[in-house]
Amino acid sequence: MSRKITTADLDPFQFALLYQKLKGVHTWWLALGGVVVIALLVLVSTIEGTFGRAADFQPAADFKRTVGITLAERSAPSFPFMRDVVSWLLALIVVSGAVLLHRHWQHLSVCLSRLTANGALVARDVPRSTRVSKLLGVDRMISGVAPDQALDTVVSKVVEALKRRGVGLLVLMGGSALVLTILLILGLENNMFHVLAPTGANEHDKAEWVREAYASWWAGKHHILGHILYWMLAWFAIFIILSFQVVGVIAIYLLVASHFVVEPSADWLNRDGRYGWTPLATLYRTVVWANALLGVTLTIVLASLGIDNYGWVAVLVVVYIALVPLFIGVPWLVLRRAAETARDTRVRQISDLMASRGIDPDVDIEAAAPYVAESERCRAARIRPLRLGTASFSTYAVLAVLPVLLTAAQIFLPLTFGTR
Protein backbone atom coordinates (compact mmCIF):
# COMPACT_ATOMS: atom_id res chain seq x y z
CA MET A 1 0.00 0.00 0.00
CA SER A 2 1.25 3.51 -0.82
CA ARG A 3 2.62 5.60 2.02
CA LYS A 4 2.37 9.28 2.82
CA ILE A 5 5.72 11.06 2.79
CA THR A 6 7.50 14.34 3.39
CA THR A 7 10.16 15.86 1.18
CA ALA A 8 12.45 18.79 0.60
CA ASP A 9 11.67 21.15 -2.28
CA LEU A 10 13.45 22.17 -5.45
CA ASP A 11 14.12 25.70 -4.23
CA PRO A 12 15.75 27.92 -6.91
CA PHE A 13 16.44 30.62 -4.31
CA GLN A 14 19.05 28.27 -2.80
CA PHE A 15 21.15 27.78 -5.92
CA ALA A 16 20.22 30.27 -8.66
CA LEU A 17 21.51 33.29 -6.65
CA LEU A 18 19.15 35.72 -8.39
CA TYR A 19 16.50 36.87 -5.87
CA GLN A 20 18.37 34.96 -3.17
CA LYS A 21 17.43 37.50 -0.49
CA LEU A 22 13.93 38.08 -1.84
CA LYS A 23 12.29 34.69 -1.34
CA GLY A 24 9.90 35.92 1.34
CA VAL A 25 9.14 39.25 -0.33
CA HIS A 26 5.70 39.62 -1.89
CA THR A 27 6.09 39.45 -5.65
CA TRP A 28 4.20 42.65 -6.33
CA TRP A 29 6.88 44.66 -4.56
CA LEU A 30 9.09 43.77 -7.51
CA ALA A 31 6.60 45.51 -9.77
CA LEU A 32 7.92 48.76 -8.30
CA GLY A 33 10.93 48.07 -10.49
CA GLY A 34 8.70 49.06 -13.38
CA VAL A 35 8.41 52.56 -11.95
CA VAL A 36 12.20 52.74 -11.68
CA VAL A 37 12.66 51.54 -15.26
CA ILE A 38 10.17 54.10 -16.62
CA ALA A 39 11.78 56.86 -14.61
CA LEU A 40 15.24 55.95 -15.93
CA LEU A 41 14.03 55.81 -19.54
CA VAL A 42 12.35 59.21 -19.28
CA LEU A 43 15.27 60.75 -17.40
CA VAL A 44 17.95 59.49 -19.80
CA SER A 45 16.07 60.47 -22.95
CA THR A 46 15.29 63.91 -21.48
CA ILE A 47 18.91 64.54 -20.54
CA GLU A 48 20.07 63.63 -24.04
CA GLY A 49 17.28 65.55 -25.73
CA THR A 50 15.77 62.43 -27.31
CA PHE A 51 12.48 62.23 -25.45
CA GLY A 52 10.47 63.72 -28.30
CA ARG A 53 7.03 65.34 -28.52
CA ALA A 54 3.46 64.09 -28.41
CA ALA A 55 3.34 64.33 -32.22
CA ASP A 56 6.08 61.67 -32.42
CA PHE A 57 3.71 59.09 -30.94
CA GLN A 58 2.43 57.26 -34.03
CA PRO A 59 2.05 53.54 -33.24
CA ALA A 60 -0.79 52.90 -35.71
CA ALA A 61 1.07 54.41 -38.66
CA ASP A 62 4.31 52.62 -37.79
CA PHE A 63 2.48 49.31 -37.43
CA LYS A 64 1.01 49.73 -40.91
CA ARG A 65 4.46 50.48 -42.31
CA THR A 66 5.87 47.41 -40.53
CA VAL A 67 3.37 45.06 -42.14
CA GLY A 68 3.84 46.65 -45.55
CA ILE A 69 0.82 48.96 -45.84
CA THR A 70 1.82 51.98 -47.93
CA LEU A 71 0.93 55.34 -46.42
CA ALA A 72 0.65 58.66 -48.21
CA GLU A 73 2.74 60.37 -45.55
CA ARG A 74 6.46 59.60 -45.77
CA SER A 75 7.96 58.35 -42.52
CA ALA A 76 10.46 60.79 -41.04
CA PRO A 77 13.85 59.26 -40.08
CA SER A 78 13.42 60.42 -36.48
CA PHE A 79 13.04 58.02 -33.56
CA PRO A 80 12.93 59.72 -30.17
CA PHE A 81 11.71 57.81 -27.15
CA MET A 82 8.09 58.93 -27.71
CA ARG A 83 8.00 57.13 -31.06
CA ASP A 84 9.74 53.95 -29.95
CA VAL A 85 6.67 51.98 -28.84
CA VAL A 86 8.59 48.73 -29.36
CA SER A 87 11.02 49.70 -26.60
CA TRP A 88 8.08 50.60 -24.36
CA LEU A 89 6.64 47.13 -24.86
CA LEU A 90 9.97 45.42 -24.31
CA ALA A 91 10.58 47.41 -21.10
CA LEU A 92 7.14 46.36 -19.87
CA ILE A 93 7.98 42.75 -20.73
CA VAL A 94 11.28 42.96 -18.84
CA VAL A 95 9.48 44.06 -15.69
CA SER A 96 6.67 41.52 -16.19
CA GLY A 97 9.23 38.76 -16.73
CA ALA A 98 11.11 39.68 -13.56
CA VAL A 99 7.88 39.64 -11.55
CA LEU A 100 6.69 36.38 -13.11
CA LEU A 101 10.05 34.66 -12.53
CA HIS A 102 9.93 35.56 -8.84
CA ARG A 103 6.37 34.26 -8.52
CA HIS A 104 7.27 31.11 -10.46
CA TRP A 105 10.20 30.38 -8.16
CA GLN A 106 8.09 31.00 -5.06
CA HIS A 107 5.56 28.41 -6.24
CA LEU A 108 8.33 25.99 -7.25
CA SER A 109 10.08 26.33 -3.89
CA VAL A 110 7.09 24.87 -2.00
CA CYS A 111 5.40 22.71 -4.63
CA LEU A 112 6.71 19.25 -3.76
CA SER A 113 6.38 19.56 0.01
CA ARG A 114 2.79 20.77 -0.34
CA LEU A 115 1.88 18.01 -2.78
CA THR A 116 3.17 15.38 -0.37
CA ALA A 117 1.53 17.07 2.62
CA ASN A 118 -1.78 17.04 0.70
CA GLY A 119 -1.34 13.36 -0.11
CA ALA A 120 -1.29 14.06 -3.86
CA LEU A 121 2.08 12.31 -4.11
CA VAL A 122 2.78 9.16 -2.12
CA ALA A 123 5.70 6.75 -2.00
CA ARG A 124 5.73 3.70 -4.21
CA ASP A 125 5.87 0.42 -2.32
CA VAL A 126 8.98 -0.37 -4.38
CA PRO A 127 10.73 2.27 -6.54
CA ARG A 128 10.68 1.48 -10.25
CA SER A 129 13.96 0.66 -11.93
CA THR A 130 14.27 1.03 -15.71
CA ARG A 131 16.86 2.09 -18.24
CA VAL A 132 15.62 5.65 -17.91
CA SER A 133 15.90 5.66 -14.10
CA LYS A 134 19.46 4.33 -14.40
CA LEU A 135 20.30 6.93 -17.06
CA LEU A 136 18.96 9.73 -14.86
CA GLY A 137 20.97 8.45 -11.89
CA VAL A 138 17.87 7.78 -9.78
CA ASP A 139 18.83 4.19 -8.95
CA ARG A 140 22.25 5.32 -7.75
CA MET A 141 20.86 8.17 -5.62
CA ILE A 142 18.30 6.02 -3.79
CA SER A 143 20.42 2.91 -3.33
CA GLY A 144 19.85 1.61 0.20
CA VAL A 145 17.18 4.25 0.93
CA ALA A 146 13.72 3.33 2.27
CA PRO A 147 10.89 3.92 -0.26
CA ASP A 148 9.29 6.64 1.88
CA GLN A 149 12.61 8.55 1.88
CA ALA A 150 13.41 8.13 -1.81
CA LEU A 151 11.86 11.37 -3.12
CA ASP A 152 13.38 13.48 -0.37
CA THR A 153 16.77 11.89 -1.09
CA VAL A 154 16.58 12.62 -4.82
CA VAL A 155 15.46 16.22 -4.33
CA SER A 156 18.02 16.93 -1.60
CA LYS A 157 20.91 15.53 -3.65
CA VAL A 158 19.90 17.51 -6.74
CA VAL A 159 19.62 20.75 -4.77
CA GLU A 160 22.93 20.19 -2.97
CA ALA A 161 24.70 19.54 -6.28
CA LEU A 162 23.21 22.72 -7.74
CA LYS A 163 24.17 24.78 -4.69
CA ARG A 164 27.79 23.74 -5.20
CA ARG A 165 27.56 24.95 -8.79
CA GLY A 166 25.59 28.13 -8.10
CA VAL A 167 28.40 30.54 -8.97
CA GLY A 168 29.22 28.59 -12.11
CA LEU A 169 25.58 28.70 -13.19
CA LEU A 170 25.49 32.45 -12.60
CA VAL A 171 28.62 33.04 -14.66
CA LEU A 172 27.43 30.75 -17.45
CA MET A 173 24.01 32.42 -17.69
CA GLY A 174 25.49 35.90 -17.38
CA GLY A 175 28.07 35.24 -20.09
CA SER A 176 25.52 33.63 -22.40
CA ALA A 177 23.17 36.56 -21.87
CA LEU A 178 25.98 38.96 -22.79
CA VAL A 179 26.73 37.14 -26.06
CA LEU A 180 23.05 37.02 -27.00
CA THR A 181 22.67 40.70 -26.08
CA ILE A 182 25.55 41.63 -28.39
CA LEU A 183 23.88 39.75 -31.24
CA LEU A 184 20.54 41.40 -30.51
CA ILE A 185 22.03 44.92 -30.40
CA LEU A 186 23.93 44.32 -33.64
CA GLY A 187 20.77 43.02 -35.24
CA LEU A 188 18.83 46.09 -34.18
CA GLU A 189 21.60 48.40 -35.32
CA ASN A 190 21.71 46.86 -38.79
CA ASN A 191 18.06 46.04 -39.36
CA MET A 192 15.73 47.76 -36.90
CA PHE A 193 14.55 50.58 -39.16
CA HIS A 194 14.45 48.78 -42.51
CA VAL A 195 10.84 47.74 -41.94
CA LEU A 196 9.83 51.41 -41.68
CA ALA A 197 11.83 52.73 -44.64
CA PRO A 198 9.78 54.70 -47.21
CA THR A 199 8.14 52.84 -50.07
CA GLY A 200 9.40 53.46 -53.57
CA ALA A 201 12.83 54.78 -52.62
CA ASN A 202 15.89 53.28 -54.30
CA GLU A 203 18.36 51.20 -52.31
CA HIS A 204 20.74 54.13 -51.77
CA ASP A 205 17.98 56.40 -50.44
CA LYS A 206 16.66 53.62 -48.20
CA ALA A 207 20.13 53.02 -46.78
CA GLU A 208 20.54 56.73 -46.11
CA TRP A 209 17.11 56.89 -44.45
CA VAL A 210 17.98 53.94 -42.21
CA ARG A 211 21.30 55.53 -41.28
CA GLU A 212 19.59 58.79 -40.28
CA ALA A 213 16.88 56.92 -38.39
CA TYR A 214 19.42 54.99 -36.35
CA ALA A 215 21.46 58.15 -35.68
CA SER A 216 18.33 59.78 -34.23
CA TRP A 217 17.27 56.76 -32.17
CA TRP A 218 17.29 57.54 -28.47
CA ALA A 219 19.02 54.21 -27.66
CA GLY A 220 21.49 54.22 -30.55
CA LYS A 221 25.23 54.35 -30.04
CA HIS A 222 25.20 58.07 -30.80
CA HIS A 223 23.36 58.63 -27.49
CA ILE A 224 25.60 57.10 -24.87
CA LEU A 225 23.30 57.11 -21.83
CA GLY A 226 20.36 55.70 -23.77
CA HIS A 227 22.58 53.10 -25.41
CA ILE A 228 23.99 51.94 -22.07
CA LEU A 229 20.54 51.76 -20.50
CA TYR A 230 19.21 49.76 -23.46
CA TRP A 231 22.15 47.35 -23.18
CA MET A 232 21.47 46.85 -19.48
CA LEU A 233 17.77 46.20 -19.99
CA ALA A 234 18.42 43.85 -22.92
CA TRP A 235 21.00 41.89 -20.95
CA PHE A 236 18.73 41.61 -17.93
CA ALA A 237 15.80 40.50 -20.11
CA ILE A 238 17.85 37.71 -21.68
CA PHE A 239 19.25 36.75 -18.27
CA ILE A 240 15.67 36.41 -17.00
CA ILE A 241 14.82 34.22 -20.00
CA LEU A 242 17.83 31.98 -19.38
CA SER A 243 16.96 31.74 -15.69
CA PHE A 244 13.51 30.48 -16.59
CA GLN A 245 14.98 27.97 -19.02
CA VAL A 246 17.79 26.59 -16.85
CA VAL A 247 15.66 26.14 -13.73
CA GLY A 248 12.87 24.79 -15.92
CA VAL A 249 15.10 22.06 -17.33
CA ILE A 250 16.16 21.10 -13.80
CA ALA A 251 12.52 20.98 -12.69
CA ILE A 252 11.62 18.74 -15.64
CA TYR A 253 14.51 16.43 -14.76
CA LEU A 254 13.23 16.16 -11.21
CA LEU A 255 9.65 15.61 -12.38
CA VAL A 256 10.72 12.69 -14.56
CA ALA A 257 13.01 11.31 -11.83
CA SER A 258 10.22 11.48 -9.24
CA HIS A 259 8.05 9.28 -11.45
CA PHE A 260 10.18 6.31 -10.41
CA VAL A 261 9.88 6.83 -6.65
CA VAL A 262 6.38 8.24 -6.09
CA GLU A 263 2.93 7.74 -7.56
CA PRO A 264 -0.05 10.09 -7.84
CA SER A 265 -2.83 10.03 -5.30
CA ALA A 266 -5.27 12.65 -4.01
CA ASP A 267 -6.63 14.47 -1.00
CA TRP A 268 -9.99 12.70 -0.93
CA LEU A 269 -11.46 15.37 1.33
CA ASN A 270 -10.80 17.78 -1.54
CA ARG A 271 -9.90 20.60 0.80
CA ASP A 272 -8.36 22.76 -1.93
CA GLY A 273 -10.94 22.07 -4.63
CA ARG A 274 -8.37 20.21 -6.74
CA TYR A 275 -7.96 17.07 -4.67
CA GLY A 276 -4.61 18.27 -3.32
CA TRP A 277 -3.10 19.23 -6.67
CA THR A 278 -3.42 23.02 -6.39
CA PRO A 279 0.34 23.60 -5.80
CA LEU A 280 1.19 21.97 -9.13
CA ALA A 281 -1.68 23.59 -11.05
CA THR A 282 -0.59 27.02 -9.76
CA LEU A 283 3.03 26.35 -10.67
CA TYR A 284 2.13 25.05 -14.12
CA ARG A 285 0.11 28.20 -14.81
CA THR A 286 3.24 30.31 -14.28
CA VAL A 287 5.14 28.00 -16.66
CA VAL A 288 2.48 28.52 -19.31
CA TRP A 289 2.49 32.29 -18.94
CA ALA A 290 6.27 32.48 -18.90
CA ASN A 291 6.44 30.68 -22.24
CA ALA A 292 3.64 32.87 -23.60
CA LEU A 293 5.53 35.99 -22.49
CA LEU A 294 8.67 34.78 -24.22
CA GLY A 295 6.59 34.09 -27.32
CA VAL A 296 5.32 37.68 -27.30
CA THR A 297 8.86 38.99 -26.82
CA LEU A 298 10.25 37.02 -29.76
CA THR A 299 7.31 38.08 -31.92
CA ILE A 300 7.97 41.77 -31.19
CA VAL A 301 11.71 41.42 -31.80
CA LEU A 302 11.19 39.50 -35.04
CA ALA A 303 8.75 42.15 -36.25
CA SER A 304 11.24 44.91 -35.36
CA LEU A 305 14.14 43.23 -37.14
CA GLY A 306 12.06 42.10 -40.08
CA ILE A 307 11.19 38.41 -40.05
CA ASP A 308 13.82 37.62 -42.67
CA ASN A 309 16.49 38.81 -40.20
CA TYR A 310 15.61 36.18 -37.59
CA GLY A 311 19.24 35.01 -37.61
CA TRP A 312 20.23 37.66 -35.05
CA VAL A 313 18.00 36.00 -32.45
CA ALA A 314 18.20 32.49 -33.90
CA VAL A 315 19.61 31.00 -30.70
CA LEU A 316 16.71 32.28 -28.62
CA VAL A 317 14.21 31.12 -31.24
CA VAL A 318 15.77 27.64 -31.42
CA VAL A 319 15.90 27.33 -27.63
CA TYR A 320 12.28 28.45 -27.45
CA ILE A 321 11.14 25.97 -30.09
CA ALA A 322 13.07 23.16 -28.39
CA LEU A 323 11.99 23.84 -24.82
CA VAL A 324 8.32 24.75 -25.18
CA PRO A 325 7.38 21.09 -25.85
CA LEU A 326 9.62 20.05 -22.95
CA PHE A 327 8.06 22.45 -20.43
CA ILE A 328 4.48 22.02 -21.59
CA GLY A 329 4.42 18.44 -22.88
CA VAL A 330 6.57 16.47 -20.44
CA PRO A 331 4.45 17.29 -17.35
CA TRP A 332 1.39 16.15 -19.27
CA LEU A 333 3.10 12.92 -20.34
CA VAL A 334 4.27 12.12 -16.81
CA LEU A 335 0.88 12.90 -15.24
CA ARG A 336 -1.50 11.89 -18.01
CA ARG A 337 -2.71 8.86 -16.02
CA ALA A 338 -2.53 10.49 -12.59
CA ALA A 339 -6.30 10.66 -12.13
CA GLU A 340 -6.84 7.08 -13.24
CA THR A 341 -4.07 5.80 -10.97
CA ALA A 342 -5.34 7.76 -7.96
CA ARG A 343 -8.94 6.59 -8.44
CA ASP A 344 -8.00 2.94 -9.01
CA THR A 345 -5.76 2.89 -5.95
CA ARG A 346 -8.44 4.48 -3.79
CA VAL A 347 -11.16 2.06 -4.90
CA ARG A 348 -8.79 -0.86 -4.32
CA GLN A 349 -8.07 0.41 -0.81
CA ILE A 350 -11.81 0.64 -0.09
CA SER A 351 -12.33 -2.90 -1.36
CA ASP A 352 -9.45 -4.17 0.77
CA LEU A 353 -10.92 -2.41 3.81
CA MET A 354 -14.30 -4.06 3.24
CA ALA A 355 -12.64 -7.45 2.90
CA SER A 356 -10.58 -6.94 6.07
CA ARG A 357 -13.80 -6.22 7.96
CA GLY A 358 -15.55 -9.25 6.53
CA ILE A 359 -18.12 -7.25 4.57
CA ASP A 360 -19.48 -8.99 1.48
CA PRO A 361 -21.22 -6.35 -0.73
CA ASP A 362 -23.39 -9.05 -2.32
CA VAL A 363 -24.70 -10.20 1.07
CA ASP A 364 -24.16 -7.37 3.58
CA ILE A 365 -25.82 -4.72 1.45
CA GLU A 366 -26.59 -2.31 4.27
CA ALA A 367 -23.11 -2.55 5.76
CA ALA A 368 -21.48 -2.20 2.34
CA ALA A 369 -23.53 0.87 1.31
CA PRO A 370 -21.13 3.52 2.74
CA TYR A 371 -18.15 1.83 1.09
CA VAL A 372 -19.93 1.57 -2.25
CA ALA A 373 -20.94 5.24 -2.04
CA GLU A 374 -17.35 6.26 -1.30
CA SER A 375 -16.10 4.18 -4.22
CA GLU A 376 -18.58 5.89 -6.53
CA ARG A 377 -17.57 9.32 -5.22
CA CYS A 378 -13.91 8.56 -5.88
CA ARG A 379 -14.66 7.21 -9.35
CA ALA A 380 -16.45 10.47 -10.19
CA ALA A 381 -13.67 12.74 -8.84
CA ARG A 382 -12.41 15.24 -11.45
CA ILE A 383 -8.68 15.09 -10.75
CA ARG A 384 -6.74 17.25 -13.21
CA PRO A 385 -3.29 18.11 -11.86
CA LEU A 386 -2.42 20.49 -14.72
CA ARG A 387 -5.85 21.94 -15.35
CA LEU A 388 -5.86 25.45 -16.84
CA GLY A 389 -8.89 27.58 -17.56
CA THR A 390 -10.07 27.46 -21.17
CA ALA A 391 -9.25 31.13 -21.69
CA SER A 392 -5.77 30.68 -20.23
CA PHE A 393 -4.94 27.78 -22.51
CA SER A 394 -6.36 29.35 -25.68
CA THR A 395 -4.57 32.63 -24.98
CA TYR A 396 -1.35 30.78 -24.33
CA ALA A 397 -1.71 28.74 -27.51
CA VAL A 398 -1.92 31.88 -29.64
CA LEU A 399 0.88 33.76 -27.90
CA ALA A 400 3.26 30.84 -27.57
CA VAL A 401 3.17 29.48 -31.11
CA LEU A 402 3.19 32.81 -32.98
CA PRO A 403 7.00 33.27 -33.10
CA VAL A 404 7.38 29.61 -34.08
CA LEU A 405 4.98 30.07 -36.98
CA LEU A 406 6.61 33.33 -38.05
CA THR A 407 10.08 31.81 -38.07
CA ALA A 408 8.98 28.62 -39.80
CA ALA A 409 7.12 30.63 -42.43
CA GLN A 410 10.23 32.67 -43.16
CA ILE A 411 12.40 29.56 -43.47
CA PHE A 412 10.08 27.50 -45.63
CA LEU A 413 7.91 30.18 -47.28
CA PRO A 414 10.07 33.32 -47.26
CA LEU A 415 8.05 36.41 -46.34
CA THR A 416 8.98 40.06 -46.39
CA PHE A 417 7.44 42.43 -43.88
CA GLY A 418 7.98 46.14 -44.07
CA THR A 419 8.31 48.56 -46.94
CA ARG A 420 11.67 47.59 -48.34
Side-chain angles (χ1 to χ4, degrees):
M1 183 175 292
S2 299
R3 286 165 281 188
K4 198 166 183 178
I5 56 175
T6 59
T7 183
D9 282 292
L10 177 63
D11 185 354
F13 295 98
Q14 294 186 31
F15 62 82
L17 300 185
L18 180 68
Y19 298 146
Q20 195 166 48
K21 304 297 183 181
L22 302 176
K23 179 179 179 180
V25 174
H26 195 287
T27 296
W28 288 113
W29 281 109
L30 273 70
L32 292 176
V35 178
V36 175
V37 169
I38 292 171
L40 285 174
L41 291 169
V42 172
L43 177 63
V44 165
S45 58
T46 300
I47 290 174
E48 296 191 316
T50 56
F51 183 77
R53 304 166 300 164
D56 294 315
F57 182 70
Q58 45 186 296
D62 282 341
F63 176 77
K64 291 177 181 179
R65 295 183 181 108
T66 298
V67 298
I69 299 175
T70 303
L71 300 179
E73 182 182 356
R74 181 185 176 95
S75 176
S78 175
F79 285 86
F81 179 70
M82 280 296 292
R83 185 177 180 181
D84 192 6
V85 176
V86 168
S87 291
W88 297 11
L89 294 174
L90 292 177
L92 176 62
I93 288 172
V94 171
V95 176
S96 300
V99 170
L100 183 58
L101 179 65
H102 184 263
R103 175 66 75 181
H104 173 64
W105 283 5
Q106 283 187 325
H107 289 317
L108 182 58
S109 67
V110 297
C111 183
L112 285 174
S113 61
R114 289 183 177 176
L115 288 175
T116 55
N118 292 346
L121 291 178
V122 293
R124 290 182 179 275
D125 292 334
V126 179
R128 292 183 62 193
S129 179
T130 66
R131 290 182 181 179
V132 176
S133 68
K134 291 183 174 67
L135 181 64
L136 295 177
V138 176
D139 291 17
R140 174 179 49 79
M141 284 189 281
I142 64 172
S143 177
V145 175
D148 60 349
Q149 295 296 316
L151 179 61
D152 181 63
T153 299
V154 172
V155 175
S156 298
K157 288 186 176 181
V158 168
V159 172
E160 286 302 316
L162 290 169
K163 286 169 67 175
R164 292 194 298 270
R165 295 166 175 80
V167 175
L169 276 175
L170 181 67
V171 172
L172 178 61
M173 289 191 296
S176 299
L178 180 60
V179 172
L180 294 174
T181 301
I182 292 172
L183 290 175
L184 173 62
I185 297 295
L186 288 175
L188 292 174
E189 181 177 339
N190 291 306
N191 302 284
M192 182 176 181
F193 300 102
H194 282 286
V195 296
L196 297 170
T199 303
N202 58 44
E203 291 303 316
H204 177 271
D205 289 343
K206 284 184 179 180
E208 182 63 20
W209 187 96
V210 170
R211 186 191 66 77
E212 292 181 18
Y214 181 79
S216 70
W217 185 36
W218 72 273
K221 61 185 178 183
H222 303 288
H223 305 288
I224 298 301
L225 293 180
H227 196 55
I228 292 173
L229 181 57
Y230 200 92
W231 265 83
M232 292 172 61
L233 290 175
W235 178 86
F236 184 67
I238 295 175
F239 185 80
I240 289 291
I241 291 171
L242 294 180
S243 297
F244 267 116
Q245 311 290 31
V246 170
V247 173
V249 169
I250 295 167
I252 290 296
Y253 164 82
L254 198 55
L255 173 64
V256 176
S258 68
H259 172 69
F260 299 100
V261 297
V262 295
E263 62 183 18
S265 185
D267 170 18
W268 295 106
L269 293 178
N270 196 20
R271 283 166 285 200
D272 63 355
R274 289 181 178 267
Y275 292 91
W277 287 95
T278 292
L280 183 60
T282 304
L283 174 64
Y284 191 65
R285 189 177 298 114
T286 63
V287 172
V288 165
W289 282 110
N291 282 278
L293 189 65
L294 178 53
V296 171
T297 304
L298 291 176
T299 300
I300 293 173
V301 172
L302 287 169
S304 300
L305 292 174
I307 300 174
D308 49 339
N309 295 308
Y310 67 89
W312 294 102
V313 289
V315 173
L316 288 175
V317 172
V318 169
V319 169
Y320 178 80
I321 293 173
L323 293 184
V324 163
L326 184 73
F327 295 152
I328 304 302
V330 170
W332 178 83
L333 286 173
V334 172
L335 296 166
R336 69 189 186 281
R337 299 186 62 186
E340 180 183 348
T341 299
R343 287 193 290 258
D344 288 348
T345 300
R346 178 67 169 179
V347 170
R348 187 170 59 252
Q349 290 172 344
I350 294 171
S351 297
D352 291 344
L353 182 59
M354 290 174 60
S356 69
R357 294 180 177 180
I359 299 174
D360 184 346
D362 294 325
V363 177
D364 304 318
I365 297 176
E366 184 176 357
Y371 299 93
V372 173
E374 177 64 10
S375 294
E376 289 300 315
R377 184 184 76 87
C378 295
R379 283 290 185 198
R382 294 169 62 84
I383 303 171
R384 291 177 286 184
L386 303 177
R387 174 65 177 168
L388 297 172
T390 302
S392 298
F393 183 79
S394 60
T395 302
Y396 159 75
V398 172
L399 298 179
V401 304
L402 187 56
V404 178
L405 294 178
L406 287 174
T407 306
Q410 180 55 39
I411 294 172
F412 299 109
L413 298 169
L415 304 173
T416 301
F417 275 16
T419 54
R420 281 178 286 173

